[in-house]
Amino acid sequence: MIKARQDAAHVVKNLHGQRVNSRLIASDYMEENADLVDILVPGYEDSDIALSYGAILRDCIRHQIVAR
């Protein structure tokens, strides 16, 4: 299970760097689905998932659109 969470964090990190027609597609998706950030933030309270959720959240908020 830990390996799966690490893999998911790596996938999200790679997606945040992908560009289609010079647009960051993950940022566009996160802008339209901002409720995903609301799911990630409480993940810090669960020590079993805090590291994975934290890595994903850090990748998400690196983009100005998502950080707003």
Side-chain angles (χ1 to χ4, degrees), residues 10-68:
H10 288 293
V11 167
V12 170
K13 182 178 184 79
N14 288 332
L15 285 173
H16 275 281
Q18 295 297 314
R19 292 182 183 270
V20 174
N21 297 328
S22 75
R23 295 193 49 92
L24 293 168
I25 56 174
S27 291
D28 292 346
Y29 181 83
M30 291 295 296
E31 181 179 24
E32 294 171 10
N33 298 280
D35 58 323
L36 293 175
V37 175
D38 295 333
I39 294 168
L40 293 170
V41 172
Y44 282 115
E45 296 174 10
D46 184 341
S47 62
D48 290 335
I49 61 172
L51 290 176
S52 299
Y53 274 41
I56 293 170
L57 189 58
R58 279 190 303 278
D59 286 327
C60 291
I61 62 172
R62 285 188 179 144
H63 300 281
Q64 184 178 16
I65 290 170
V66 179
R68 276 187 274 169

